[in-house]
């Protein structure tokens, strides 16, 4: 009942260094994902909704802790179009050959997110550097150009990765992503194909199809999942309000009243985001932003971690056929865990950092040249 299922091609990719196949490497070197591995949810956090909400509330605890004891060093990264984004670094000094894990969080996510903090602590223990890449206008930073962000905008992440690859050529690069960030990172890895500078990537709670996941959330009128729809909409409205004057300076006809009165994510996307990026409709933007069509072109080891009781990225959106047709891809599927909750053991304890750190350690050993 609690066993983790690994879904992948019959013949997964063969490491050029060790000649071991990707699925075999995971079986031998990732005990939290190997045959008979279990993820058993905590009895104090039962079910997908409880798991999801628990992790969300953990943000506030870590945000308060970060005010008292910050552990990240902030870098303001200048983009080619004059925009800026905030990079939060851990172990950023004295780079030699230390691996660097680049992190993309969820909608308007920050380095204070519960799952980000849990993973970063494990990577620091392993002596990996960590850099959390915020979206434009997020993480306490302000927009410096009218262009905001959207769910499939890969340009900024690409610029950061290219810069790190050029600036620190001896440091192996990894990509870790969650929720909306998982869609962006997966799309980026597919767009780059064989030219991707990352050694490996992980996408946790990937929505795969942005139009369908938002339609699903917006349709939850009398369901507990409506909570997530309204929470995400509030995040988007808050980010817009914080940068309203800058966004409105673009030569675009926005209707502030309609943006403010948007009652769904789709309405907000139609009134603000698609106009900011010159798409003809919200559906056009969301279809163009989805990572699903790019899965076939991924050419680095990439692990997806999804839960069957995820109330946001539901099972019907997981593209199983695409995942088993590309030898570079592995899906780790759990029965429980909610949307990036993964609170296990008797007393709620985060589990996600275990498979994440084990996978990257194995990929560093077998795929780093």
């Amino acid at each position: 009942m609690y066993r983790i299922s690994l879904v992948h091609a019959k013949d997964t990719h063969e490491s050029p260094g060790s000649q071991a196949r990707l699925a075999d490497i995971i079986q031998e070197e990732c005990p939290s994902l190997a045959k008979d591995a279990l993820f058993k949810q905590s009895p104090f956090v039962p079910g997908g909704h409880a798991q999801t909400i628990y992790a969300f509330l953990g943000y506030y605890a870590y945000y308060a802790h970060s005010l008292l004891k910050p552990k990240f060093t902030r870098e303001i990264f200048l983009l080619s179009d004059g925009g800026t984004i905030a990079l939060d670094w851990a172990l950023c000094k004295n780079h030699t050959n230390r691996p660097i894990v680049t992190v993309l969080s969820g909608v308007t996510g920050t380095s204070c997110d519960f799952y980000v903090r849990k993973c970063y602590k494990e990577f620091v223990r392993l002596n990996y550097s960590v850099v959390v890449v915020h979206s434009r206008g997020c993480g306490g930073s302000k927009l410096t150009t009218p262009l905001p962000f959207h769910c499939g905008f890969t340009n900024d992440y690409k610029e950061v990765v290219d810069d790190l690859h050029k600036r620190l050529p001896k440091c192996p690069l990894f990509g870790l992503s969650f929720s909306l960030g998982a869609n962006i990172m997966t799309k980026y890895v597919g767009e780059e194909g064989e030219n991707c500078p990352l050694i490996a990537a992980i996408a946790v709670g990937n929505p795969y199809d942005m139009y369908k996941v938002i339609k699903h959330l917006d349709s939850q009128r009398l369901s507990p999942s409506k909570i997530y729809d309204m929470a995400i909409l509030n995040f988007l409205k808050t980010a817009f309000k914080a940068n309203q004057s800058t966004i409105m300076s673009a030569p675009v006809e926005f209707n502030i009243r309609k943006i403010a009165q948007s009652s769904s994510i789709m309405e907000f996307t139609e009134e603000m985001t698609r106009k900011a990026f010159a798409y003809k409709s919200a559906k056009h933007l969301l279809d163009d932003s989805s990572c699903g069509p790019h899965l076939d072109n991924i050419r680095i080891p990439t692990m997806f971690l999804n839960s069957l009781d995820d109330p946001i990225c539901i099972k019907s959106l997981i593209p199983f056929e695409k995942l088993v047709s590309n030898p570079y891809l592995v899906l780790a599927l759990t029965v429980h865990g909610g949307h990036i909750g993964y609170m296990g053991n008797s007393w709620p304890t985060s589990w996600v950092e275990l498979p994440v750190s084990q996978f990257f350690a194995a990929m560093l050993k077998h795929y780093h040249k």
Side-chain angles (χ1 to χ4, degrees):
M1 181 178 180
Y2 302 109
R3 185 171 291 125
I4 298 164
S5 301
L6 293 182
V7 180
H8 51 74
K10 181 179 179 181
D11 294 318
T12 52
H13 185 255
E14 186 177 279
S15 162
S18 63
Q19 282 75 56
R21 294 200 174 273
L22 179 58
D24 295 333
I25 294 171
I26 293 174
Q27 288 292 342
E28 295 174 8
E29 302 185 30
C30 302
S32 61
L33 297 172
K35 185 179 180 180
D36 297 327
L38 305 175
F39 169 71
K40 188 174 182 180
Q41 66 179 353
S42 168
F44 293 100
V45 194
H49 290 299
Q51 288 274 327
T52 302
I53 293 170
Y54 189 98
F56 171 74
L57 294 177
Y59 163 84
Y60 294 98
Y62 275 89
Y63 177 73
H65 181 264
S66 71
L67 296 178
L68 299 173
K69 192 176 181 181
K71 295 189 176 183
F72 287 100
T73 299
R74 174 150 292 190
E75 173 188 352
I76 301 301
F77 185 85
L78 179 63
L79 298 159
S80 59
D81 69 347
T84 55
I85 54 175
L87 307 182
D88 281 354
W89 283 90
L91 289 185
C92 59
K93 296 180 179 180
N94 301 320
H95 282 295
T96 52
N97 299 324
R98 182 186 294 139
I100 300 174
V101 180
T102 63
V103 181
L104 292 180
S105 191
V107 180
T108 69
T110 76
S111 56
C112 293
D113 286 341
F114 178 79
Y115 39 85
V116 172
R117 289 272 172 165
K118 286 296 184 180
C119 290
Y120 120 81
K121 287 176 67 176
E122 182 64 17
F123 288 129
V124 168
R125 187 186 69 80
L126 295 171
N127 199 35
Y128 289 14
S129 294
V130 179
V131 57
V132 181
V133 182
H134 296 88
S135 296
R136 297 187 186 213
C138 298
S141 64
K142 290 286 189 179
L143 287 180
T144 52
T145 67
L147 196 69
F149 70 92
H150 72 70
C151 56
F153 190 61
T154 58
N155 300 36
D156 294 352
Y157 180 66
K158 173 177 169 54
E159 285 197 38
V160 171
V161 173
D162 286 348
D163 178 77
L164 293 177
H165 188 55
K166 181 179 179 181
R167 182 165 32 133
L168 303 164
K170 294 183 179 180
C171 294
L173 299 177
F174 295 98
L176 171 62
S177 54
F178 302 90
S179 192
L180 178 70
N183 180 75
I184 294 172
M185 185 175 289
T186 302
K187 182 170 177 277
Y188 159 79
V189 172
E191 289 171 344
E192 294 297 294
E194 294 182 355
N195 297 318
C196 185
L198 303 177
I199 290 177
I202 297 175
V204 185
N206 196 326
Y208 300 105
D209 188 315
M210 293 307 306
Y211 179 72
K212 288 183 179 179
V213 77
I214 289 177
K215 286 285 287 185
H216 160 69
L217 288 173
D218 284 348
S219 69
Q220 303 302 299
R221 302 297 181 187
L222 300 176
S223 165
S225 293
K226 189 62 180 177
I227 297 171
Y228 316 124
D229 186 57
M230 298 311 297
I232 294 170
L233 178 60
N234 182 62
F235 294 153
L236 294 171
K237 286 184 174 181
T238 300
F240 171 75
K241 189 173 181 180
N243 296 280
Q244 180 175 312
S245 60
T246 306
I247 295 173
M248 296 295 291
S249 68
V252 179
E253 291 187 10
F254 292 109
N255 188 318
I256 297 179
R257 181 182 62 82
K258 287 186 176 181
I259 294 173
Q261 293 179 354
S262 298
S263 60
S264 68
I265 302 171
M266 194 69 73
E267 284 184 23
F268 181 89
T269 305
E270 180 65 37
E271 294 300 332
M272 199 287 285
T273 316
R274 69 94 181 172
K275 292 181 179 180
F277 287 89
Y279 280 89
K280 64 183 180 181
S281 67
K283 186 179 188 303
H284 184 207
L285 181 149
L286 295 170
D287 286 341
D288 191 52
S289 296
S290 298
C291 71
H294 299 273
L295 293 174
D296 294 339
N297 200 42
I298 291 176
R299 292 297 180 270
I300 62 168
T302 302
M303 182 178 76
F304 299 89
L305 181 58
N306 286 92
S307 169
L308 290 176
D309 67 355
D310 188 329
I312 297 176
C313 303
I314 55 178
K315 179 184 176 182
S316 61
L317 299 181
I318 301 175
F320 289 98
E321 290 186 5
K322 282 183 171 288
L323 293 170
V324 300
S325 66
N326 185 336
Y328 289 89
L329 311 182
V330 174
L331 167 66
L333 196 61
T334 62
V335 177
H336 301 293
H339 187 64
I340 326 176
Y342 295 112
M343 304 305 299
N345 295 330
S346 296
W347 185 255
T349 306
S350 176
W351 171 82
V352 71
E353 64 269 25
L354 299 179
V356 163
S357 60
Q358 291 167 9
F359 181 77
F360 281 161
M363 295 305 101
L364 181 66
K365 175 181 175 182
H366 289 273
Y367 279 86
H368 178 46
K369 297 177 182 179

